[in-house]
Amino acid sequence: MLQYTVSRFVSMLLVLFIITTATFLLMHAIPGGPFTAEKNLPEAVLKNLNERYHLNDPLFKQYTDYLANVARGDLGPSFKYEARTVNDIIAESFPVSAELGLTAVAIALACGIPMGAMAALRQNRWPDYLCMFAATIGISVPGFILATLFIYVFALKLELFPAAMWGGPEYVVLPALALAAFPMAFIARLTRSSMLEVLGLDFIRTARAKGLTSFVVVWRHALKNALIPVVTYLGPLIAAILTGSFVIESIFAIPGLGRHFVTSIYNRDYTVILGITIFYSTLLVILNFLVDIAYAWLDPRIKLGGGKGE
Amino acid sequence: MRNKIMILTLILALAAAAVAGCATATKPGGKYLRYSAGTEPETIDPRKSTGSPEAIIEAQIFEGLTVLNAKDAPAAAVAEKWDVSPDGLTYTFILRTNAKWSNGDPVTAHDFEYAWKSTLAPSFGAKYAYQLYYLRNGEKYNKGQAEAVSVGVKALDDRTLRVTLEKPTPYFLTLTAFHTYYPVHSKTAAANDKWASDPKTLIGNGPFKVTGWVHNSKIEFAKNEHYWDAAKVKMAKMEFVLTDSATTELNMFENNQIDLGGNVPASDIPRLLKEGKLRFEPLLATYFFSFNVTKPPFDNVKVRKAFALAIDRGAIVQNVTRGGQKPALAWVPPGLADAAPGTDFRKAGGDFFADNDVAAAKRLLAEAGYPDGKGLPPVTLIYNTSEGHKAIAESVQEMWRKNLGVNVQLANQEWKVFINARAKGDYQVARHGWTGDYLDPMTFLDMFVSDSGTNDSQYKNPAFDDLIKRAKETNDQGLRMRLMHEAEKIFMDEAVIAPVYYYTNAVLVKPNVKGYVRSITGLYFFKEAYVE
């Protein structure tokens, strides 16, 4: 386990280094810089600005200076937002994205798993059709369409929730629902197919033969085993939701990190682009690692580092 | 083992609930203004900001020597009076005794001197430092060729500020209302370079002060009780919402989360107009197509003219933009005073051609050697990616096809790629828009002098340059205006650009919002605003 963790950590650092280098080079390769604006700045002013942010240094020096700062945990100043550092921006906006994202994940799990289990237990009957119809809608209708629909119905027509902004719990409901629709549908379908597979296995027949109540059979034996694929999906899901909530954040004017990620590229805010890329990459690598650990914990037959035990 | 799944799920649900519980409660909407300011401000240090959203925020919390009144004329603000020397080079401002910062300190002439000199300091890296190049040695100091002490701004005592200019600048009193000329609380700004990003240290001298700022979400203001004219400030507080999405802004307006905003989806304009929720406000800006006069076929003035004349501007503003814009048949937009009081530079100068003059356009193209567009080299029009620009470009493409027989290619580019290409002259025709920085025709005209950094058309004409130079050197308003009219005539006769329309702001406004002042530069002053 320790050996596994260490080797994962080393490969994680390597991955981050490659991502940082590639992003740095790509970023400087695209035309336009942080100070390109509709009203071209006089050369003297541009020179002073470039001096101030060390953009006049050779690219290699900029790169090594940047890496040295990152190693100290300093992601640098934002070029666009005066007097704000990338660390500030991430510290302010990531908790918002996390709150929104984890709420959406909780909704997706709390609704998706029972839906899938119900559909499997009532296969080819109306609850199954109903759940799978809902799941098909959730998978095929994009989140931003749902968001617009929710705003129209629940905010503008029924006036139950605010149409946008961020504040108390009432502000979380609509964006979290819009964000949760796809994973909820996906989890429902995943649970259903995996549950159907498990219900046909020998040990379930054994359990029934032992005279266990169907409640115990389903909840204690079948569902637990059926959820392994769902747990596997959790890692990529949380990562995707935390890093991919940009559109929803934009529609609801939520001050999350997703918006910064997209606008920083548009603004050529070099340090913000790099900082968020590094932050997101770290998050993804760590989440994948945690999923592997959880996976092994759930299914004792799985050994980390390859191979299967008896 | 058996409950691990449940534990996992529970942990996640609890984490979400815990995070959700941290959210702050919001206040119910009372009788105060909620304005949508557009995007998150880059900074609200007036020495460093450049954009319009920033300027609107700063206009509520700072005040310059002068302020623009409802007629867009400069009026006394921190300065109660001033003297101008006969040669127009020296201004002596006397500051009011009761002008105070939001912490109660008096606003002094030293604050102004400090603010202006720090903006010009090369190491400070202020983008708008060039707005202070009017000051004697301002440009030299900014380029590192002169000392700070030689810059033409000096506090003679706490209440007297002497300003010396490079050249006579008859519109200088409108410049002193501009945010780059605001004072800063020198003690605070000198001690802490992040003073403007934290409401606790953000000291201003305007009618309001910032009490809260949630980045990318909202800024909260309260009345500044130390403001010298506080008796006229009607609202105890206000709130600016920060969202850059027009659709979101409209949703919030219709959901009664904001009272005023200026970012409306074009497709909703007709409906909102019918429902009486929209107002069109003029803006000192022109939408135009810039020709690169060094690239064939646009190195031929007749081709440029033909393309400019073959645009049906009326159809574009009526059917495409639908925002109450006015077709532009000249370069400088309406709203700027001419020499005589109460006259308008645009009215005095008139239009330079007729809209949609297809016959003349056809004739000119034939004279240039391309009858019905035959033999014309391929032409590409570039614009920055946006639905609005795309719709206009497609309309113009169709007009040129129908009226001139020319098939123009369209190419959209990402914003900064586009700006870069246009500035380098790496294009034939490009979409362009220009907003005036200050209230004088010069803010449009000097853009196209040969050595200007904003001359994306690569236009070089000594006669034009000379007129602009002479206009910049005289203190005689009548002569200045005459020279600028002449310069504009040369510029339009050469068809360096094809103007399309004079911009407007489509403003969402609730009927109970009263008393605010809006400048043609797009600034709002909420000093005397209130919500009924």
Side-chain angles (χ1 to χ4, degrees):
Chain A
M1 183 67 202
L2 180 70
Q3 195 194 345
Y4 174 78
T5 310
V6 170
S7 74
R8 276 296 292 252
F9 184 72
V10 172
S11 70
M12 186 173 107
L13 286 182
L14 186 70
V15 165
L16 288 178
F17 173 76
I18 292 168
I19 288 174
T20 308
T21 310
T23 310
F24 185 90
L25 292 173
L26 283 170
M27 200 172 72
H28 282 278
I30 42 178
F35 310 122
T36 310
E38 175 111 81
K39 302 200 167 178
N40 305 339
L41 297 171
E43 253 164 63
V45 172
L46 198 57
K47 185 173 148 283
N48 291 337
L49 271 167
N50 285 334
E51 289 282 333
R52 189 178 140 200
Y53 289 104
H54 307 292
L55 289 171
N56 288 347
D57 295 345
L59 205 57
F60 185 72
K61 184 174 182 321
Q62 286 184 48
Y63 174 66
T64 49
D65 287 352
Y66 181 77
L67 286 186
N69 287 334
V70 170
R72 285 195 295 271
D74 173 11
L75 296 169
S78 160
F79 291 113
K80 182 168 172 71
Y81 299 109
E82 280 279 350
R84 289 178 72 191
T85 65
V86 182
N87 296 49
D88 289 343
I89 289 174
I90 293 175
E92 276 161 13
S93 51
F94 181 67
V96 174
S97 289
E99 181 183 340
L100 172 65
L102 291 176
T103 309
V105 171
I107 293 173
L109 286 171
C111 304
I113 293 172
M115 265 169 72
M118 173 114 79
L121 293 169
R122 301 272 179 280
Q123 200 192 353
N124 294 335
R125 274 176 281 168
W126 70 264
D128 182 20
Y129 295 137
L130 186 69
C131 289
M132 284 310 103
F133 175 73
T136 308
I137 297 274
I139 285 195
S140 50
V141 180
F144 65 90
I145 302 274
L146 287 175
T148 313
L149 187 74
F150 290 164
I151 290 172
Y152 182 75
V153 175
F154 298 109
L156 300 185
K157 288 291 158 210
L158 302 176
E159 297 186 0
L160 295 173
F161 296 104
M165 294 296 283
W166 194 246
E170 71 271 26
Y171 290 89
V172 188
V173 180
L174 295 185
L177 280 176
L179 203 54
F182 179 88
M184 183 165 82
F186 195 89
I187 288 170
R189 290 174 53 160
L190 207 59
T191 311
R192 178 180 179 270
S193 60
S194 150
M195 189 84 174
L196 286 174
E197 194 184 330
V198 171
L199 287 173
L201 290 177
D202 289 350
F203 79 93
I204 295 288
R205 205 164 354 135
T206 312
R208 288 195 202 279
K210 282 198 309 191
L212 292 176
T213 60
S214 69
F215 178 85
V216 172
V217 171
V218 169
W219 290 102
R220 189 168 294 173
H221 296 280
L223 189 60
K224 194 192 118 183
N225 286 289
L227 282 187
I228 289 180
V230 175
V231 172
T232 316
Y233 171 61
L234 273 186
L237 164 68
I238 294 175
I241 272 194
L242 289 183
T243 58
S245 51
F246 164 72
V247 177
I248 299 291
E249 285 178 12
S250 177
I251 291 174
F252 287 95
I254 294 169
L257 191 57
R259 287 168 75 193
H260 278 294
F261 194 39
V262 176
T263 52
S264 66
I265 297 166
Y266 180 82
N267 294 326
R268 304 287 189 276
D269 199 343
Y270 294 153
T271 42
V272 178
I273 299 173
L274 275 169
I276 298 180
T277 304
I278 292 170
F279 179 77
Y280 276 167
S281 315
T282 312
L283 201 70
L284 292 180
V285 174
I286 289 173
L287 276 168
N288 285 339
F289 176 66
L290 288 178
V291 165
D292 287 352
I293 302 270
Y295 204 51
W297 179 62
L298 277 171
D299 186 348
R301 289 172 309 172
I302 298 168
K303 279 268 195 308
L304 290 175
K308 280 206 167 194
E310 284 303 310
Chain B
M1 265 299 277
R2 69 176 57 135
N3 287 325
K4 285 173 191 168
I5 288 291
M6 297 306 147
I7 293 170
L8 258 183
T9 314
L10 209 66
I11 288 173
L12 272 173
L14 280 174
V19 188
C22 300
T24 50
T26 48
K27 301 167 298 302
K31 287 294 176 211
Y32 62 91
L33 179 75
R34 295 156 312 164
Y35 165 72
S36 174
T39 181
E40 162 83 14
E42 296 180 10
T43 171
I44 39 186
D45 182 339
R47 301 169 301 166
K48 289 188 171 178
S49 65
T50 56
S52 162
E54 291 82 4
I56 292 172
I57 293 164
E58 287 159 0
Q60 320 312 320
I61 56 175
F62 291 98
E63 195 176 58
L65 294 165
T66 54
V67 65
L68 297 178
N69 64 15
K71 290 189 174 135
D72 263 326
V78 174
E80 62 182 358
K81 53 182 192 268
W82 49 83
D83 275 327
V84 189
S85 63
D87 62 2
L89 290 174
T90 308
Y91 285 70
T92 310
F93 294 94
I94 308 296
L95 275 51
R96 336 180 153 262
T97 46
N98 57 347
K100 290 204 168 60
W101 291 102
S102 49
N103 67 348
D105 291 353
V107 179
T108 69
H110 299 281
D111 291 326
F112 281 92
E113 182 182 353
Y114 171 82
W116 298 6
K117 282 184 175 171
S118 59
T119 304
L120 284 166
S123 59
F124 193 67
K127 291 179 194 150
Y128 260 14
Y130 67 90
Q131 303 281 5
L132 293 166
Y133 284 3
Y134 296 92
L135 305 182
R136 177 160 297 167
N137 291 327
E139 184 170 4
K140 279 193 182 138
Y141 173 48
N142 188 235
K143 286 180 171 171
Q145 299 160 354
E147 293 299 312
V149 72
S150 68
V151 176
V153 54
K154 184 150 183 53
L156 301 180
D157 58 46
D158 278 357
R159 284 192 59 207
T160 318
L161 186 75
R162 195 180 59 208
V163 181
T164 319
L165 305 181
E166 279 286 344
K167 289 180 183 144
T169 312
Y171 50 90
F172 187 68
L173 290 172
T174 67
L175 292 177
T176 50
F178 189 67
H179 65 83
T180 316
Y181 287 80
Y182 288 161
V184 295
H185 189 262
S186 47
K187 271 200 210 86
T188 307
N192 171 10
D193 61 0
K194 291 191 172 188
W195 66 280
S197 56
D198 181 356
K200 285 196 228 25
T201 50
L202 181 55
I203 297 171
N205 68 326
F208 294 93
K209 60 185 178 190
V210 171
T211 51
W213 181 359
V214 182
H215 290 297
N216 283 304
S217 183
K218 64 179 175 195
I219 300 181
E220 289 163 329
F221 300 82
K223 178 176 173 172
N224 171 11
E225 61 279 5
H226 292 291
Y227 178 56
W228 66 269
D229 205 11
K232 288 206 182 119
V233 180
K234 296 192 175 65
M235 290 185 294
K237 61 178 186 172
M238 50 176 191
E239 190 175 282
F240 281 15
V241 167
L242 309 170
T243 167
D244 40 20
S245 156
T247 311
T248 304
E249 187 169 308
L250 179 58
N251 287 337
M252 292 180 73
F253 183 80
E254 303 210 300
N255 200 36
N256 195 26
Q257 286 179 273
I258 56 168
D259 309 300
L260 179 72
N263 188 6
V264 189
S267 54
D268 288 281
I269 287 177
R271 168 179 71 85
L272 292 163
L273 211 52
K274 229 180 271 165
E275 295 171 359
K277 294 172 176 168
L278 203 64
R279 190 185 294 173
F280 294 133
E281 304 271 17
L283 190 66
L284 189 67
T286 306
Y287 190 107
F288 62 101
F289 288 107
S290 168
F291 297 117
N292 182 342
V293 303
T294 63
K295 287 250 167 97
F298 298 108
D299 49 354
N300 181 333
V301 61
K302 286 184 171 166
V303 174
R304 298 199 295 266
K305 263 196 176 145
F307 272 70
L309 291 174
I311 299 174
D312 183 350
R313 294 156 182 81
I316 290 175
V317 300
Q318 246 163 25
N319 310 323
V320 184
T321 58
R322 296 187 293 188
Q325 294 91 346
K326 299 272 177 297
L329 303 164
W331 169 219
V332 179
L336 295 170
D338 206 292
T343 54
D344 183 90
F345 183 87
R346 182 68 282 129
K347 276 209 184 86
D351 293 339
F352 288 94
F353 55 92
D355 188 21
N356 196 27
D357 191 348
V358 179
K362 276 186 186 317
R363 194 189 68 238
L364 283 161
L365 198 62
E367 283 174 16
Y370 310 108
D372 292 327
K374 286 185 190 71
L376 193 79
V379 171
T380 304
L381 181 155
I382 61 168
Y383 62 94
N384 54 302
T385 311
S386 122
E387 283 307 312
H389 299 323
K390 182 174 173 220
I392 295 170
E394 284 171 347
S395 316
V396 169
Q397 177 189 38
E398 177 57 19
M399 289 164 188
W400 286 338
R401 191 193 59 76
K402 202 177 72 194
N403 300 337
L404 300 176
V406 178
N407 279 315
V408 171
Q409 295 296 310
L410 300 184
N412 69 314
Q413 299 177 339
E414 186 262 2
W415 174 239
K416 295 234 176 185
V417 174
F418 169 78
I419 292 284
N420 210 39
R422 204 177 62 188
K424 283 186 178 155
D426 197 3
Y427 73 97
Q428 292 171 291
V429 194
R431 172 261 136 193
H432 208 319
W434 191 256
T435 312
D437 279 327
Y438 50 92
L439 293 159
D440 191 84
M442 192 56 88
T443 188
F444 285 86
L445 292 166
D446 72 357
M447 180 175 161
F448 287 99
V449 295
S450 300
D451 61 354
S452 157
T454 47
N455 183 352
D456 295 348
S457 290
Q458 322 295 319
Y459 174 64
K460 288 185 172 45
N461 181 339
F464 176 83
D465 291 358
D466 181 61
L467 287 165
I468 296 297
K469 184 166 168 281
R470 283 162 56 204
K472 281 189 170 183
E473 280 167 357
T474 175
N475 197 24
D476 172 348
Q477 271 294 58
L479 176 62
R480 276 185 76 241
M481 291 296 163
R482 209 166 55 242
L483 291 166
M484 287 195 286
H485 279 301
E486 278 177 47
E488 188 184 32
K489 185 171 184 328
I490 291 180
F491 181 72
M492 290 309 300
D493 285 347
E494 297 239 324
V496 180
I497 61 163
V500 180
Y501 59 75
Y502 303 124
Y503 276 86
T504 48
N505 263 144
V507 181
L508 286 166
V509 56
K510 293 259 159 77
N512 58 347
V513 178
K514 305 271 196 265
Y516 66 86
V517 171
R518 183 185 171 280
S519 159
I520 192 168
T521 56
L523 276 188
Y524 283 96
F525 299 98
F526 296 125
K527 174 176 165 176
E528 297 182 48
Y530 59 99
V531 181
E532 276 183 338

